[in-house]
Each structure stands twice: as structure tokens, then as C-alpha cells.
Amino acid sequence: MKAIISGKDIGTTISFRSLGSYEAKHPWPEETVVSAGRGVVFSRNPEKPNYTTLFMEVYPPGAAFIRGEGETPEACEESCWQQYQRAIHCVDGRTSHEWEPRGYMNGAGFCKHCNTFGTRIFTGEQLGQFCHDCGVGTTHNWETGPDGSSVFLCAAHTAPMTALSPEELLAQLTGKQDPARGVCEDEAAQEGARHEDHDQ
Ligand SMILES: [Zn+2]
Ligand SMILES: [Zn+2]
């Protein structure tokens, strides 16, 4: 359920689903993909309960996924826009980001200065991750070895997923396999639901 904001096609109208549509205030570039609505945010922190919020998620050119939450569509867009400006300009007059992996092994990184998140920033070589079987640098896959250390594998040496039985497949599709998963109130909430991976 994604709409493309485009000056050519549908103007800059963003659908917040059951809450109606909203005219964007900022000049998002063409080909920005957006998804918006009201959804549940599941918290992994027992101190912090799950909550429902209005959200807007954008995938603009030149930046990775950006999510803004707020009381109103305006507040959601404003949060996304500020994050997007940081993603394309950084802060303090810098012209480029200075990335650090912060423990991510999949090649993603965060800018030290503006906290922008980016994917495909680091190579396996840069992270010191080499395939256990052939030695090429990899961010593709890793397993935990018997001594608790990470064993890295390239795409060619990652074992194909074992085929699931129809029962297992059904359990996975209906979410019954994972009792920790929440149940959403409605379709929009389901689409907007996500797990909270890190503190913002
Ligand atoms: Zn930066
Ligand atoms: Zn390999």
C-alpha cells in the first residue's frame, strides 16, 4: 500500500488512509515513495509499553528509509523532512557524513555527527568480515559459532533455506509461530506496525 509522491502524477498528496489525505508542505523530490497512516509500535523494552501513533515513512532518493511520528500529519512530515535534510546535508556545515557501523554487520552505518542511518555503507573487508569457506569479504550472512563468535558467510557459501512443511509455512504466515508478536486492531495498524529496533 504505497503511493508515489510525484509532481507529475498525483501532486504531493499523501494518503493517511482512514484519516484522509494530506497535502505535503515540503518539496519532496519526485520518486519519493511514501507510506502513512496510524499504526502500532511494538516495544521490546518492558519499561516502555506498545503505543499507537500517526506515522509517515518515506524512501526519498539519496537517503535510506526515514520514519516520522507525530500527533498530526504535519508533525509527521516535519519530522521526516528534518531527517531528510540531515541525510542529504549532514550538520554543522559538513558536506559528507562520517560513518560508523555501531555493531551492525550487514554493511549499514550511522553518521557520527547527524545520526543518519545508511545501508550498504561498509564492505565486508572494511568490517574485517571474511567468508569462513572462501575468505572473500562479506556482509551477506553470519552465524554464531560454537565459541560464541560470529562466523561469516558469503552468498555463495550460505546454505539454502530448508524447505518448510505446509504446517510450518502456515504457522509462519499466520504469525502463530511467534507468540511475542502483537495483534493489530485493523489493517492500517498492521501495515504500520513494526518492531522498535533502537532508541531514537
Ligand atoms: Zn552526517
Ligand atoms: Zn564464500
Side-chain angles (χ1 to χ4, degrees):
M1 187 79 74
K2 285 183 179 147
I4 292 180
I5 304 180
S6 158
K8 277 183 204 152
D9 301 324
I10 53 166
T12 50
T13 301
I14 299 167
S15 166
F16 273 81
R17 301 201 186 95
S18 56
L19 293 138
S21 61
Y22 161 75
E23 293 302 314
K25 303 285 185 289
H26 291 290
W28 294 95
E30 277 188 51
E31 309 316 321
T32 298
V33 175
V34 62
S35 174
R38 186 179 286 280
V40 177
V41 177
F42 295 96
S43 174
R44 281 178 184 163
N45 180 350
E47 314 267 295
K48 231 171 120 185
N50 296 343
Y51 63 96
T52 302
T53 182
L54 212 57
F55 70 89
M56 181 172 151
E57 294 172 343
V58 293
Y59 305 80
F65 163 77
I66 291 172
R67 178 181 167 105
E69 295 175 359
E71 300 272 310
T72 60
E74 286 87 348
C76 295
E77 188 197 0
E78 197 54 43
S79 167
C80 288
W81 183 256
Q82 295 305 330
Q83 293 176 66
Y84 179 51
Q85 292 308 301
R86 284 203 301 275
I88 57 176
H89 299 299
C90 200
V91 286
D92 304 330
R94 287 169 189 282
T95 50
S96 63
H97 298 297
E98 200 179 338
W99 301 104
E100 55 188 12
R102 295 191 192 170
Y104 274 65
M105 296 187 281
N106 62 359
F110 293 84
C111 175
K112 278 179 200 178
H113 306 284
C114 70
N115 220 28
T116 286
F117 175 75
T119 55
R120 297 182 193 196
I121 302 296
F122 296 103
T123 63
E125 284 85 353
Q126 288 170 328
L127 293 170
Q129 301 175 178
F130 300 94
C131 176
H132 176 262
D133 291 359
C134 69
V136 305
T138 178
T139 56
H140 182 76
N141 191 20
W142 55 89
E143 292 167 358
T144 305
D147 63 350
S149 67
S150 296
V151 175
F152 297 94
L153 296 165
C154 72
H157 291 109
T158 295
M161 296 249 286
T162 45
L164 296 173
S165 70
E167 290 76 24
E168 286 170 328
L169 195 63
L170 188 68
Q172 205 169 71
L173 289 172
T174 56
K176 284 189 180 137
Q177 200 185 24
D178 181 2
R181 218 175 108 166
V183 179
C184 302
E185 297 288 318
D186 60 29
E187 212 179 273
Q190 206 136 28
E191 282 165 23
R194 58 146 200 173
H195 288 282
E196 203 170 57
D197 286 327
H198 55 85
D199 293 321
Q200 302 274 319

